[in-house]
Amino acid sequence: MSESALARIRIVLVEPAGPLNVGSVARVMKNMGLSQLVLVNPQCDRQDEWAIKMAVHGADILEAAQIVNELPQALVGCQRAIATTGRSRSLPTDLETPRVALPWLLETPSALIFGREDRGLSNDELNYAQRFVQIPSSPEYPSLNLAQSVAVCAAELYQQATGLSEDKSSNPSPFISANPSVPTASLDELEGYYQQLERLLLEIGYLYPHTAPRRLEKFRRLYNRAQLSSQEVAMLRGILTQMEWALSQGSEVGDTL
Protein backbone atom coordinates (compact mmCIF):
# COMPACT_ATOMS: atom_id res chain seq x y z
CA MET A 1 0.00 0.00 0.00
CA SER A 2 1.02 3.62 -0.44
CA GLU A 3 -0.46 7.07 -0.35
CA SER A 4 -1.25 6.70 -4.05
CA ALA A 5 -3.94 4.20 -3.04
CA LEU A 6 -5.74 7.02 -1.25
CA ALA A 7 -6.10 8.90 -4.53
CA ARG A 8 -8.44 6.16 -5.81
CA ILE A 9 -10.95 6.55 -2.97
CA ARG A 10 -14.00 8.80 -3.21
CA ILE A 11 -15.59 10.28 -0.13
CA VAL A 12 -19.30 10.46 -0.97
CA LEU A 13 -21.62 12.67 1.08
CA VAL A 14 -25.34 12.11 0.49
CA GLU A 15 -27.42 15.27 0.80
CA PRO A 16 -25.14 17.11 3.25
CA ALA A 17 -27.02 20.04 4.81
CA GLY A 18 -24.36 21.95 6.75
CA PRO A 19 -21.63 24.03 5.10
CA LEU A 20 -19.58 23.77 8.29
CA ASN A 21 -19.60 19.99 7.98
CA VAL A 22 -18.76 20.01 4.28
CA GLY A 23 -15.87 22.38 4.87
CA SER A 24 -14.60 20.29 7.79
CA VAL A 25 -14.76 17.16 5.66
CA ALA A 26 -12.63 18.84 2.97
CA ARG A 27 -10.08 19.83 5.61
CA VAL A 28 -9.74 16.35 7.10
CA MET A 29 -9.51 14.85 3.62
CA LYS A 30 -6.57 17.14 2.93
CA ASN A 31 -5.01 16.10 6.27
CA MET A 32 -5.28 12.42 5.37
CA GLY A 33 -4.24 12.44 1.72
CA LEU A 34 -7.70 12.04 0.22
CA SER A 35 -8.70 14.21 -2.72
CA GLN A 36 -11.93 12.97 -4.31
CA LEU A 37 -15.06 14.49 -2.78
CA VAL A 38 -18.49 13.77 -4.28
CA LEU A 39 -21.65 15.54 -3.08
CA VAL A 40 -24.97 13.85 -3.85
CA ASN A 41 -27.81 16.40 -4.11
CA PRO A 42 -26.19 18.73 -1.53
CA GLN A 43 -28.55 20.84 0.54
CA CYS A 44 -25.95 23.56 1.05
CA ASP A 45 -23.48 25.55 -1.03
CA ARG A 46 -19.97 24.07 -1.08
CA GLN A 47 -18.66 27.58 -1.73
CA ASP A 48 -20.46 29.02 1.28
CA GLU A 49 -18.26 31.37 3.32
CA TRP A 50 -18.30 29.04 6.33
CA ALA A 51 -17.51 25.97 4.24
CA ILE A 52 -14.42 27.69 2.84
CA LYS A 53 -13.34 28.91 6.29
CA MET A 54 -13.66 25.43 7.79
CA ALA A 55 -11.81 23.84 4.87
CA VAL A 56 -8.70 26.01 5.48
CA HIS A 57 -6.06 24.44 3.18
CA GLY A 58 -8.63 21.96 1.84
CA ALA A 59 -10.45 24.67 -0.13
CA ASP A 60 -9.13 23.15 -3.36
CA ILE A 61 -10.96 19.92 -2.52
CA LEU A 62 -14.20 21.89 -2.14
CA GLU A 63 -13.60 23.62 -5.46
CA ALA A 64 -12.98 20.34 -7.27
CA ALA A 65 -15.82 18.44 -5.60
CA GLN A 66 -18.11 16.61 -8.00
CA ILE A 67 -21.83 17.27 -7.61
CA VAL A 68 -24.34 14.64 -8.77
CA ASN A 69 -28.08 14.19 -8.40
CA GLU A 70 -28.25 10.56 -7.27
CA LEU A 71 -26.03 8.09 -5.45
CA PRO A 72 -25.48 5.69 -8.41
CA GLN A 73 -23.90 8.57 -10.33
CA ALA A 74 -21.37 9.02 -7.54
CA LEU A 75 -20.28 5.39 -7.87
CA VAL A 76 -19.67 5.24 -11.62
CA GLY A 77 -16.21 3.77 -12.21
CA CYS A 78 -15.87 2.37 -8.69
CA GLN A 79 -15.45 -1.34 -8.09
CA ARG A 80 -16.08 -1.33 -4.35
CA ALA A 81 -18.24 0.68 -1.98
CA ILE A 82 -18.62 0.74 1.79
CA ALA A 83 -21.45 2.63 3.48
CA THR A 84 -21.29 3.98 7.01
CA THR A 85 -24.31 3.51 9.25
CA GLY A 86 -25.18 3.99 12.88
CA ARG A 87 -27.98 1.45 12.93
CA SER A 88 -28.51 -2.20 12.16
CA ARG A 89 -30.41 -3.13 9.03
CA SER A 90 -33.46 -5.33 8.63
CA LEU A 91 -31.38 -8.00 6.87
CA PRO A 92 -28.72 -9.99 8.76
CA THR A 93 -25.78 -8.03 7.37
CA ASP A 94 -22.69 -7.73 9.52
CA LEU A 95 -21.62 -4.26 10.58
CA GLU A 96 -17.83 -4.01 10.63
CA THR A 97 -15.40 -1.63 12.27
CA PRO A 98 -13.40 0.81 10.14
CA ARG A 99 -10.16 -1.01 10.93
CA VAL A 100 -11.47 -4.32 9.63
CA ALA A 101 -13.35 -3.14 6.55
CA LEU A 102 -11.69 -0.01 5.17
CA PRO A 103 -8.37 -1.53 3.97
CA TRP A 104 -10.47 -3.38 1.38
CA LEU A 105 -11.10 -0.03 -0.35
CA LEU A 106 -7.40 0.64 -0.91
CA GLU A 107 -6.96 -2.13 -3.47
CA THR A 108 -9.04 -0.64 -6.31
CA PRO A 109 -11.12 2.44 -7.26
CA SER A 110 -13.65 2.64 -4.45
CA ALA A 111 -16.14 4.79 -2.58
CA LEU A 112 -16.84 5.42 1.09
CA ILE A 113 -20.42 6.64 1.53
CA PHE A 114 -21.74 8.85 4.34
CA GLY A 115 -25.39 9.72 4.93
CA ARG A 116 -27.31 12.79 5.98
CA GLU A 117 -26.51 14.52 9.25
CA ASP A 118 -29.95 13.90 10.72
CA ARG A 119 -30.93 10.43 9.48
CA GLY A 120 -28.05 8.80 7.67
CA LEU A 121 -28.63 6.62 4.62
CA SER A 122 -31.93 5.03 3.63
CA ASN A 123 -32.20 1.27 3.14
CA ASP A 124 -32.38 1.83 -0.62
CA GLU A 125 -29.15 3.83 -0.52
CA LEU A 126 -27.44 1.21 1.65
CA ASN A 127 -28.18 -1.31 -1.10
CA TYR A 128 -25.59 0.34 -3.33
CA ALA A 129 -22.80 -0.66 -0.93
CA GLN A 130 -21.19 -4.07 -0.56
CA ARG A 131 -20.06 -3.72 3.04
CA PHE A 132 -21.17 -1.64 6.02
CA VAL A 133 -19.15 0.15 8.67
CA GLN A 134 -20.25 1.26 12.11
CA ILE A 135 -17.83 3.39 14.13
CA PRO A 136 -17.48 2.05 17.69
CA SER A 137 -18.58 4.62 20.26
CA SER A 138 -19.87 4.87 23.80
CA PRO A 139 -23.43 3.54 24.24
CA GLU A 140 -24.11 6.55 26.46
CA TYR A 141 -23.81 8.86 23.45
CA PRO A 142 -23.07 6.89 20.29
CA SER A 143 -23.95 9.54 17.68
CA LEU A 144 -21.07 11.19 15.79
CA ASN A 145 -21.62 14.09 13.46
CA LEU A 146 -20.77 13.87 9.78
CA ALA A 147 -17.35 15.52 9.90
CA GLN A 148 -16.31 13.43 12.91
CA SER A 149 -17.31 10.22 11.15
CA VAL A 150 -15.32 11.15 8.06
CA ALA A 151 -12.33 12.05 10.24
CA VAL A 152 -12.30 8.66 11.99
CA CYS A 153 -12.53 6.76 8.71
CA ALA A 154 -10.07 8.99 6.86
CA ALA A 155 -7.47 8.59 9.61
CA GLU A 156 -7.87 4.81 9.47
CA LEU A 157 -7.46 4.80 5.69
CA TYR A 158 -4.33 6.94 5.94
CA GLN A 159 -2.77 4.69 8.56
CA GLN A 160 -3.52 1.55 6.57
CA ALA A 161 -2.29 3.05 3.29
CA THR A 162 0.98 4.29 4.75
CA GLY A 163 1.67 1.25 6.91
CA LEU A 164 1.21 3.14 10.18
CA SER A 165 -1.50 0.90 11.59
CA GLU A 166 -0.36 -1.14 14.59
CA ASP A 167 -3.09 -3.73 14.12
CA LYS A 168 -1.27 -6.77 12.77
CA SER A 169 -4.17 -9.17 13.24
CA SER A 170 -5.37 -11.05 10.20
CA ASN A 171 -9.12 -10.85 10.13
CA PRO A 172 -10.37 -12.91 7.17
CA SER A 173 -12.74 -11.03 4.90
CA PRO A 174 -15.76 -12.64 3.25
CA PHE A 175 -15.00 -10.43 0.23
CA ILE A 176 -11.79 -12.03 -1.05
CA SER A 177 -11.71 -12.62 -4.79
CA ALA A 178 -11.07 -16.19 -5.88
CA ASN A 179 -8.74 -14.82 -8.57
CA PRO A 180 -7.13 -11.55 -7.45
CA SER A 181 -5.52 -11.05 -10.88
CA VAL A 182 -8.94 -10.60 -12.48
CA PRO A 183 -10.43 -7.17 -11.66
CA THR A 184 -13.94 -7.16 -10.28
CA ALA A 185 -16.79 -5.55 -12.18
CA SER A 186 -17.46 -1.88 -11.57
CA LEU A 187 -20.45 -0.88 -9.48
CA ASP A 188 -22.21 0.67 -12.48
CA GLU A 189 -21.83 -2.60 -14.42
CA LEU A 190 -23.39 -4.46 -11.50
CA GLU A 191 -26.17 -1.90 -11.22
CA GLY A 192 -27.06 -2.38 -14.86
CA TYR A 193 -27.31 -6.12 -14.25
CA TYR A 194 -29.48 -5.67 -11.15
CA GLN A 195 -31.90 -3.43 -13.04
CA GLN A 196 -32.17 -5.90 -15.93
CA LEU A 197 -32.64 -8.77 -13.48
CA GLU A 198 -35.40 -6.93 -11.65
CA ARG A 199 -37.26 -6.16 -14.88
CA LEU A 200 -37.15 -9.79 -15.96
CA LEU A 201 -38.17 -11.22 -12.58
CA LEU A 202 -41.11 -8.81 -12.44
CA GLU A 203 -42.13 -9.84 -15.95
CA ILE A 204 -42.17 -13.57 -15.18
CA GLY A 205 -43.95 -13.07 -11.87
CA TYR A 206 -41.12 -14.18 -9.58
CA LEU A 207 -41.11 -10.68 -8.07
CA TYR A 208 -44.05 -8.46 -7.24
CA PRO A 209 -43.74 -4.66 -7.12
CA HIS A 210 -44.42 -4.46 -3.38
CA THR A 211 -41.83 -7.13 -2.47
CA ALA A 212 -39.22 -6.48 -5.18
CA PRO A 213 -36.91 -4.17 -3.16
CA ARG A 214 -36.55 -6.65 -0.29
CA ARG A 215 -35.98 -9.61 -2.61
CA LEU A 216 -33.45 -7.68 -4.67
CA GLU A 217 -31.47 -6.91 -1.50
CA LYS A 218 -30.84 -10.64 -1.15
CA PHE A 219 -29.66 -10.93 -4.76
CA ARG A 220 -27.32 -7.98 -4.24
CA ARG A 221 -25.80 -9.58 -1.16
CA LEU A 222 -25.34 -12.86 -3.02
CA TYR A 223 -23.55 -11.28 -5.98
CA ASN A 224 -21.51 -8.96 -3.76
CA ARG A 225 -20.03 -11.98 -2.02
CA ALA A 226 -19.21 -13.55 -5.40
CA GLN A 227 -17.00 -10.58 -6.46
CA LEU A 228 -17.99 -10.93 -10.12
CA SER A 229 -15.65 -9.86 -12.92
CA SER A 230 -16.77 -7.74 -15.87
CA GLN A 231 -16.77 -10.83 -18.08
CA GLU A 232 -18.97 -12.69 -15.63
CA VAL A 233 -21.45 -9.82 -15.44
CA ALA A 234 -21.54 -9.72 -19.24
CA MET A 235 -22.25 -13.46 -19.30
CA LEU A 236 -25.10 -13.11 -16.79
CA ARG A 237 -26.57 -10.21 -18.73
CA GLY A 238 -26.34 -12.29 -21.90
CA ILE A 239 -28.42 -15.00 -20.23
CA LEU A 240 -31.03 -12.44 -19.17
CA THR A 241 -31.11 -10.96 -22.67
CA GLN A 242 -31.68 -14.40 -24.19
CA MET A 243 -34.47 -15.07 -21.70
CA GLU A 244 -36.08 -11.74 -22.56
CA TRP A 245 -35.90 -12.64 -26.24
CA ALA A 246 -37.44 -16.06 -25.59
CA LEU A 247 -40.30 -14.49 -23.65
CA SER A 248 -40.93 -12.04 -26.47
CA GLN A 249 -41.32 -14.96 -28.90
CA GLY A 250 -44.13 -16.48 -26.84
CA SER A 251 -45.40 -19.85 -27.96
CA GLU A 252 -43.19 -19.87 -31.06
CA VAL A 253 -40.18 -20.91 -28.95
CA GLY A 254 -42.11 -23.68 -27.21
CA ASP A 255 -43.28 -25.10 -30.55
CA THR A 256 -39.67 -25.54 -31.70
CA LEU A 257 -38.56 -27.48 -28.60
Side-chain angles (χ1 to χ4, degrees):
M1 297 293 182
S2 68
E3 290 192 48
S4 63
L6 295 167
R8 298 197 296 260
I9 296 179
R10 299 177 193 175
I11 299 297
V12 178
L13 309 183
V14 176
E15 296 191 347
L20 293 172
N21 268 330
V22 173
S24 297
V25 166
R27 175 174 181 167
V28 78
M29 287 177 63
K30 191 78 169 183
N31 292 147
M32 300 301 167
L34 296 159
S35 57
Q36 293 193 59
L37 176 61
V38 185
L39 307 177
V40 179
N41 190 28
Q43 305 299 296
C44 63
D45 181 6
R46 62 174 167 161
Q47 293 299 316
D48 179 271
E49 175 186 0
W50 284 105
I52 295 172
K53 284 183 177 180
M54 293 302 293
V56 193
H57 295 296
D60 59 323
I61 293 177
L62 280 182
E63 178 66 32
Q66 181 184 2
I67 298 178
V68 298
N69 294 324
E70 298 178 342
L71 181 54
Q73 296 173 284
L75 305 179
V76 172
C78 292
Q79 292 177 298
R80 297 176 179 178
I82 290 178
T84 59
T85 180
R87 56 189 173 85
S88 60
R89 306 175 68 210
S90 55
L91 289 176
T93 302
D94 290 336
L95 298 180
E96 303 175 86
T97 65
R99 182 152 299 178
V100 169
L102 295 187
W104 184 66
L105 296 180
L106 294 165
E107 301 169 5
T108 190
S110 302
L112 181 56
I113 308 167
F114 296 84
R116 302 159 188 82
E117 289 98 328
D118 58 345
R119 62 185 188 278
L121 296 164
S122 69
N123 282 341
D124 286 343
E125 290 161 344
L126 287 168
N127 284 334
Y128 290 108
Q130 297 148 305
R131 297 173 73 172
F132 308 95
V133 157
Q134 185 176 49
I135 298 172
S137 56
S138 169
E140 293 184 9
Y141 188 36
S143 178
L144 282 74
N145 82 0
L146 175 60
Q148 291 170 334
S149 298
V150 175
V152 171
C153 292
E156 189 62 50
L157 284 168
Y158 182 79
Q159 291 180 70
Q160 296 285 349
T162 57
L164 296 175
S165 175
E166 297 179 359
D167 184 5
K168 305 300 182 182
S169 62
S170 57
N171 204 329
S173 167
F175 294 86
I176 297 176
S177 174
N179 188 353
S181 65
V182 178
T184 55
S186 67
L187 295 178
D188 41 304
E189 288 175 315
L190 287 170
E191 192 58 35
Y193 171 69
Y194 295 143
Q195 292 179 9
Q196 186 179 10
L197 177 65
E198 181 177 11
R199 288 195 303 269
L200 179 61
L201 295 182
L202 284 167
E203 183 177 353
I204 66 175
Y206 179 81
L207 292 180
Y208 297 95
H210 66 286
T211 60
R214 184 60 57 85
R215 286 290 184 93
L216 261 294
E217 282 187 14
K218 295 180 180 179
F219 279 108
R220 287 173 182 269
R221 292 175 61 232
L222 169 66
Y223 287 118
N224 284 342
R225 289 198 302 271
Q227 289 287 276
L228 299 171
S229 67
S230 294
Q231 292 82 2
E232 289 167 336
V233 172
M235 178 185 69
L236 290 171
R237 295 203 68 171
I239 294 171
L240 296 184
T241 299
Q242 186 66 22
M243 293 171 68
E244 290 170 336
W245 174 84
L247 286 170
S248 72
Q249 302 306 302
S251 59
E252 294 179 14
V253 174
D255 293 341
T256 62
L257 297 179

